[in-house]
């Protein structure tokens, strides 16, 4: 009898794995023409895992030596919208997640203003370990971590890439540009096999110091909202 019960339970588990049980409890109509939206493909999760492992195995990096945790990502790896910040601060280093401190609170509000939240987007940073005293990462540190964030973008393959602040902008677009001229416009850019529309906006930490610039950030956010609608994201 017990054997039969175990057998039946295993069969049921197998069945639950085959179907998407999230859909059973969902009252939304099923779009049969769209692939399910709940799990990332094996390839993507494997690539992300490998990328994380290769960052963890970086040698002779003083940032890594002093940090408590790697800060790799937050959000949904299937998202078509990716945000890239500068580097973790103290809270992020504690929790191992990007944008969980004061700047993160503002970022959440910015996302909410355009009907997004961190579960609907994917978030990472140029640098994966906290620079001491929250100083800006050096050119050498940026150079060291650049191949990783570039690969990260390629794996996520976003349709919209939002660069938060000038460190992310200079690292990924070039050192010869200034944020006041570059923000608020779309740039088409390729990262490996990923073709994406990039927009640069002010970093939330900068907006906390310069609240008068929030009106410019709002323009950028509205552009993201519009693009999202146009791209049917
Ligand atoms: N600032 C950043 O650029 N990234 C974080 O994760 C936190 C603060």
């Amino acid at each position: 009898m017990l054997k039969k019960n175990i057998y039946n339970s295993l069969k049921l588990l197998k069945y639950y794995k085959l179907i998407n049980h999230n859909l059973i409890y969902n009252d939304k109509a099923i779009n049969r023409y769209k692939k399910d939206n709940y799990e990332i493909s094996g390839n993507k999760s494997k690539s992300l895992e490998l990328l994380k492992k290769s960052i963890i195995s970086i040698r002779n990096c003083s940032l890594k030596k002093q940090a408590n945790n790697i800060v790799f990502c937050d959000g949904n790896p299937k998202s078509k919208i990716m945000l890239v910040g500068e580097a973790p601060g103290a809270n992020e280093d504690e929790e191992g997640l990007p944008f969980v401190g004061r700047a993160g609170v503002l970022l959440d509000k910015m996302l909410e203003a355009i009907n997004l939240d961190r579960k609907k987007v994917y978030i990472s940073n140029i640098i994966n370990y906290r620079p001491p005293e929250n100083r800006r990462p050096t050119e050498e540190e940026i150079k060291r971590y650049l191949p990783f964030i570039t690969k990260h973008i390629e794996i996520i393959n976003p349709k919209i890439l939002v660069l938060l602040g000038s460190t992310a902008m200079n690292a990924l677009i070039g050192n010869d540009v200034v944020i006041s001229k570059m923000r608020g416009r779309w740039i088409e850019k390729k990262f490996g096999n990923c073709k994406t529309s990039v927009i640069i906006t002010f970093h939330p930490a900068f907006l906390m110091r310069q609240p008068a610039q929030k009106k410019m950030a709002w323009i950028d956010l509205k552009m993201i909202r519009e693009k999202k609608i146009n791209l049917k994201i």
Side-chain angles (χ1 to χ4, degrees):
M1 182 66 176
L2 182 66
K3 232 174 170 181
K4 196 163 180 216
N5 279 347
I6 293 173
Y7 173 76
N8 282 341
S9 305
L10 285 175
K11 227 167 118 186
L12 206 61
L13 271 177
K14 213 166 150 194
Y15 174 68
Y16 271 113
K17 270 192 181 164
L18 275 177
I19 57 166
N20 189 339
H21 65 278
N22 286 309
L23 293 177
I24 294 177
Y25 303 107
N26 201 324
D27 58 3
K28 283 206 182 109
I30 301 168
N31 183 349
R32 295 178 195 282
Y33 301 99
K34 232 177 168 181
K35 273 179 108 185
D36 78 74
N37 204 32
Y38 294 94
E39 275 163 29
I40 58 169
S41 75
N43 276 351
K44 201 177 219 185
S45 66
K46 204 167 196 163
S47 305
L48 288 171
E49 212 174 287
L50 279 176
L51 177 66
K52 191 171 176 184
K53 271 191 188 149
S54 54
I55 298 172
I56 289 170
S57 39
I58 291 177
R59 286 165 181 235
N60 298 325
C61 172
S62 64
L63 296 183
K64 187 183 146 190
K65 281 181 195 153
Q66 293 176 66
N68 288 306
N69 281 302
I70 180 173
V71 176
F72 186 65
C73 72
D74 197 13
N76 180 0
K78 283 192 86 173
S79 178
K80 293 289 164 220
I81 306 174
M82 179 170 180
L83 279 66
V84 178
E86 180 178 300
N91 295 291
E92 289 77 18
D93 178 52
E94 271 304 308
E95 291 195 34
L97 288 169
F99 286 100
V100 288
R102 273 179 0 110
V105 173
L106 179 55
L107 180 64
D108 287 345
K109 285 186 183 156
M110 290 162 75
L111 292 173
E112 200 185 320
I114 52 167
N115 205 20
L116 284 174
D117 63 53
R118 62 171 65 218
K119 288 191 212 93
K120 290 190 196 148
V121 299
Y122 187 83
I123 311 175
S124 191
N125 280 310
I126 298 290
I127 307 278
N128 301 98
Y129 292 101
R130 180 194 179 201
E133 275 91 52
N134 296 350
R135 64 162 171 76
R136 248 185 131 114
T138 64
E139 279 302 313
E140 198 192 318
E141 286 159 354
I142 292 170
K143 228 174 169 179
R144 168 172 266 172
Y145 284 84
L146 194 56
F148 300 110
I149 186 63
T150 308
K151 186 72 196 166
H152 210 153
I153 296 167
E154 193 183 358
I155 296 169
I156 296 301
N157 196 19
K159 286 203 161 52
I160 296 176
L161 179 66
V162 184
L163 304 183
L164 299 165
S166 46
T167 302
M169 175 193 72
N170 291 135
L172 292 167
I173 303 293
N175 271 325
D176 51 345
V177 286
V178 288
I179 194 160
S180 53
K181 296 241 162 69
M182 293 302 283
R183 57 143 291 279
R185 58 162 117 150
W186 291 105
I187 307 164
E188 298 308 310
K189 187 123 175 84
K190 259 186 113 180
F191 297 93
N193 287 323
C194 162
K195 262 183 166 173
T196 185
S197 300
V198 183
I199 189 163
I200 297 142
T201 191
F202 292 123
H203 192 287
F206 169 79
L207 292 174
M208 289 190 307
R209 294 191 301 272
Q210 306 271 338
Q213 297 298 324
K214 283 186 183 172
K215 57 180 183 293
M216 306 311 280
W218 177 230
I219 295 173
D220 307 338
L221 288 168
K222 283 192 288 186
M223 287 177 70
I224 297 167
R225 184 173 63 187
E226 200 179 309
K227 187 76 150 184
K228 198 175 124 232
I229 293 168
N230 290 342
L231 294 177
K232 298 188 172 62
I233 292 175

